[in-house]
Amino acid sequence: MAAAGDASGVLSPSERFAASRKRAGHPQVEQFRAGLGFDLDPFQIEAAGALEDGRSVLVAAPTGAGKTVVAEFAVHLAMQSVRDKVFYTAPMKALSNQKFNEFVTEYGPDEVGLLTGDTNINADARIVVMTTEVLRNMLYADSGLLANLRFVVMDEVHYLADRFRGAVWEEVIIHLPQSVKLVSLSATVSNAEEFGDWLQAVRGDTEVIVSEERPVPLDQHALVKTKLIDLFDSTGRAATNRVNPELAQLVRGGASLASVDRRGGHGGGGGRRSGRGGGGNRYRPHGQPFERMDRPDVVRLLGEHQLLPAIFFVFSRIGCDQAVKQVLRGGVRLTTAEEREEIRKIVDERCRTLLDEDLAVLGYWEWTEGLQRGVAAHHAGMLPAFKEVVEELYQKKLVKVVFATETLALGINMPARTVVLEKLEKFNGEARVPITAGEYTQLTGRAGRRGIDVEGHSVIQWREGLDPQEVASLASRRTYPLNSSFRPTYNMAVNLIDQFGRPRTREILESSFAQFQADRAVVDLARKVRQQEESLAGFEKAMTCHLGDFREYARIRRELTDLERASSGKGESRPHAERERRQRQIASLRKQLRSHPVHGCKDRESHARWAERWFTLKKDTDRLTQQIQTRTNVIAKVFDRVTDVLLGLGYLQQNDDGVTSLTTSGQTLKRIYGERDLLVAECIRREVWHDLDPASLAAIACALVYEPRRDESEAAERFLPRGAFRVALDKTQTLWAQIDDIERDHRLPGSNPVATGLSTAMHKWARGASLDEVLNEADMAAGDFVRWSKQTIDLLDQLQGTPDARLASIARAAMDSVRRGIVAYSSVS
């Protein structure tokens, strides 16, 4: 593994000579460097050199460190030939759109394509930007577009930990042709070496390059009431990452906060550290309730300290929208007249395709007022067009304050001078939980604009109950582990069996990162079991008695102790007969104990102590052995269960020689991707949707992709579309229940019931209802409706590829009926 070096300082003559030799060995790196307006960092040079040498690379570095420069060098290398191609994969369509536009600017529209499921531009170009799912589907279909592919860039590869979509990353890594070099770009993870070892195992020669240096240093602050103060001690008298004593004193109420001027600097300072330790204590200031500055005042404070532009992370969409309204009500204006004019021009241009009657429904006028004053929200509930405008205006330094959910931290190019965290906890769908060190790193990674800021800043707005020591611990940890979420699916099984056969597929799946991690864990567990077995042998020797079997004696003694303890429990309410039976057991065990040969041994108690240690360690060793058994071949075992389900339902068949192959239904399942692949395939096979009109098919498709919020109730049955839709829905739900029973019989996890919460709204939309009516029916933000509509279109697109000509025709008409208005909007040109 290579680590990033220090570019600073004076090089010795020998170091200069070595650097010169290295440059001479990498002419393409030197050519690429010459065309840049800045010099490369050591980790970028290291990675580019490895690519020029013909190796794959894993680059793990903080947000904003410049990992994508390595990807751009891979594109540069591919474009030096006449035929080589490069695919750039990203986890989100917004990232894909961003990279597409950047490459078009660099290489021209003829050389660049974009494939995101709902967008298909220039697919046979030499540089193609795509979502990871699109590439996975290409690999399974053995697409001709894979010809001459030299590099695949996997941006944000740590997404393979995502429990919903992560498996796709592993599928691509495993199934890419060995001739293709992989450029894997990851956030700083604590097990980069482990991930690199796996890449080495499945992809061949791979260089692992880790940089933990932020390109722009991060100054971390706390906003306590009205005072901005350093989180860490910056006096130079203490080790790095020690809590600022002044902060601890202020939070404990040792100073009068009411008298602190709002302009109090964000320098450190001394102050006595309170004698009471941190570590889980709850902090509450004395006297008045703990007050916080209003958002307009916080924005003004940041402006006074030249800490704008800023991103405020608010872990709630409603909270983001309310924050913008609050700041505007507070009279905040962050733009000049010239900037406001430029903002109006950009907004008019980008939103010209939106229908006039939809503007009020979308909150267009309030949104544009905020933009003109330099303030905006950014979250998944917004119309994609609005989010893209916010991103563009922010990058042009026209919007100065953004209130965003954590989704903004996932790769979009929107660095700030300052990141503000209003809370250090978020709702995870079930409860409010503290953010993790990894999430903190991801969020604060947005602070500091390379080439603009000397340092970035993070501000934690202090709340009652926060512990400075715990906050400092959170803020000082920079890495988090990358764990696989891989699991075999029905679609994956039929595609791989069709290509490789069942035995080879089993071997392939055992090369997943999930199994790699499980095997490593097994190695450690097995080592521990061996050590404990040696200790058990020693314990057994120490408890050996020349008078008889002391292990048997110890077992009787242990059983007797457990029974006596249970019988002496307070409030014993067992039936009389049960108590009598237990007393007889106790008497019998006492008799066995007294009559046992070793009972009279003078060293009995010494033997007993060793026996107790033996029993305790034996119990733990048995537990570890069980863990080993459950982890060994765990992925292949799940694959076998999936295969058995498919054999039972007739998607796979076996000949007399035991060779497994696909049936006609299995061929259909090959083309169905998603969480409900088997249910969709069963509905196609049984012609459940054959009599639906386009709007009803759209409503059914929506029910299969839609995932309701935990607090959301299902649509009342009386409001669902009637007629053929109800019949099809009933049959679909019956099939789901049957599949769920089969899965549980095969020790597979099953799936959630079909969710009809959005079906009525989707049915109305597909029949031409207005946006206002549909959003009211759905009780949903426009951005969410667009997202679910596009997922519905994606499933309908799969259905139009079915051999059933009637269903394919209905699916095409359904796609057209859904893809209109705000759903059809695309800013990519």
Side-chain angles (χ1 to χ4, degrees), residues 8-300:
S8 62
V10 179
L11 296 177
S12 68
S14 62
E15 288 172 328
R16 288 199 299 273
F17 176 73
S20 174
R21 287 284 300 273
K22 199 165 189 176
R23 287 195 296 271
H26 295 116
Q28 288 298 334
V29 175
E30 290 309 302
Q31 180 184 334
F32 180 70
R33 289 175 75 176
L36 297 173
F38 55 89
D39 199 11
L40 296 176
D41 289 339
F43 85 89
Q44 295 166 326
I45 295 171
E46 189 82 28
L51 288 174
E52 187 169 353
D53 289 341
R55 300 198 295 277
S56 295
V57 295
L58 165 64
V59 181
T63 301
K67 295 186 289 290
T68 54
V69 170
V70 179
E72 288 159 10
F73 176 70
V75 175
H76 167 84
L77 275 181
M79 298 303 284
Q80 301 310 299
S81 75
V82 294
R83 288 194 306 272
D84 284 350
K85 296 167 69 172
V86 57
F87 288 171
Y88 192 110
T89 74
M92 293 181 295
K93 291 177 182 177
L95 271 177
S96 298
N97 294 343
Q98 194 174 82
K99 294 308 299 183
F100 170 76
N101 288 321
E102 290 174 9
F103 286 134
V104 166
T105 300
E106 178 73 19
Y107 293 98
D110 293 341
E111 299 285 11
V112 187
L114 177 67
L115 299 173
T116 62
D118 56 355
T119 303
N120 187 330
I121 300 172
N122 204 11
D124 57 355
R126 292 181 59 200
I127 307 166
V128 186
V129 182
M130 62 186 68
T131 53
T132 319
E133 283 83 355
V134 169
L135 178 54
R136 185 271 312 272
N137 298 352
M138 273 189 190
L139 289 167
Y140 283 162
D142 196 22
S143 169
L145 296 175
L146 297 166
N148 300 314
L149 182 60
R150 182 177 176 188
F151 295 106
V152 165
V153 177
M154 302 201 78
D155 201 355
E156 311 278 348
V157 74
H158 50 275
Y159 252 78
L160 68 77
D162 183 88
R163 67 190 181 98
F164 296 111
R165 300 173 58 209
V168 177
W169 274 255
E170 289 192 49
E171 290 176 76
V172 167
I173 292 168
I174 292 169
H175 301 309
L176 270 175
Q178 287 295 315
S179 59
V180 177
K181 298 306 174 188
L182 203 60
V183 183
S184 304
L185 308 179
S186 171
T188 310
V189 293
S190 54
N191 59 334
E193 296 89 346
E194 178 187 45
F195 186 50
D197 288 346
W198 175 67
L199 288 172
Q200 177 83 26
V202 296
R203 300 297 316 162
D205 197 3
T206 301
E207 186 82 9
V208 180
I209 297 154
V210 177
S211 172
E212 298 191 24
E213 292 298 315
R214 283 178 53 98
V216 180
L218 180 67
D219 283 357
Q220 305 194 66
H221 316 285
L223 178 57
V224 184
K225 285 201 172 181
T226 59
K227 184 168 185 180
L228 200 57
I229 184 170
D230 283 353
L231 177 60
F232 296 109
D233 189 340
S234 58
T235 62
R237 295 196 298 270
T240 308
N241 298 338
R242 176 195 173 196
V243 174
N244 183 354
E246 185 181 2
L247 171 63
Q249 187 175 17
L250 283 174
V251 171
R252 290 181 190 279
S256 174
L257 296 180
S259 64
V260 177
D261 189 281
R262 192 179 67 189
R263 294 178 177 82
H266 50 274
R272 289 183 299 106
R273 190 179 186 188
S274 173
R276 197 173 67 176
N281 294 325
R282 307 297 289 173
Y283 284 71
R284 289 181 175 85
H286 303 302
Q288 298 295 317
F290 201 98
E291 298 175 0
R292 287 156 57 96
M293 292 180 76
D294 289 336
R295 288 185 177 113
D297 290 331
V298 176
V299 171
R300 292 187 185 97

Side-chain angles (χ1 to χ4, degrees), residues 735-804:
L735 278 175
W736 168 81
Q738 291 171 354
I739 291 171
D740 192 62
D741 288 343
I742 293 169
E743 288 175 327
R744 296 183 190 283
D745 288 343
H746 285 80
R747 289 181 294 149
L748 291 169
S751 59
N752 292 323
V754 174
T756 58
L758 190 56
S759 292
T760 304
M762 188 60 66
H763 188 265
K764 289 183 176 181
W765 177 254
R767 295 189 61 171
S770 69
L771 179 64
D772 190 14
E773 180 183 355
V774 169
L775 293 184
N776 279 330
E777 172 67 45
D779 189 23
M780 182 176 286
D784 289 325
F785 181 71
V786 169
R787 185 171 75 256
W788 293 120
S789 296
K790 290 192 173 183
Q791 291 196 32
T792 299
I793 289 170
D794 185 54
L795 177 53
L796 293 169
D797 187 37
Q798 294 176 46
L799 294 179
Q800 76 161 341
T802 181
D804 184 334

Side-chain angles (χ1 to χ4, degrees), residues 592-666:
Q592 291 178 50
L593 205 65
R594 285 193 297 270
S595 63
H596 198 282
V598 306
H599 187 66
C601 179
K602 62 182 178 63
D603 296 322
R604 184 184 68 196
E605 293 309 310
S606 174
H607 293 327
R609 284 192 293 274
W610 286 110
E612 191 59 34
R613 293 172 190 170
W614 185 91
F615 274 114
T616 302
L617 189 60
K618 181 68 166 64
K619 185 178 179 181
D620 187 59
T621 304
D622 289 345
R623 179 184 59 80
L624 294 176
T625 303
Q626 179 62 31
Q627 284 187 31
I628 290 173
Q629 291 171 351
T630 58
R631 295 185 185 191
T632 303
N633 301 322
V634 61
I635 301 299
K637 288 174 184 174
V638 174
F639 167 70
D640 286 341
R641 294 169 197 157
V642 166
T643 304
D644 288 344
V645 170
L646 294 172
L647 283 166
L649 289 174
Y651 288 86
L652 297 174
Q653 60 190 359
Q654 280 185 339
N655 65 15
D656 294 339
D657 297 325
V659 176
T660 305
S661 60
L662 273 60
T663 63
T664 302
S665 297

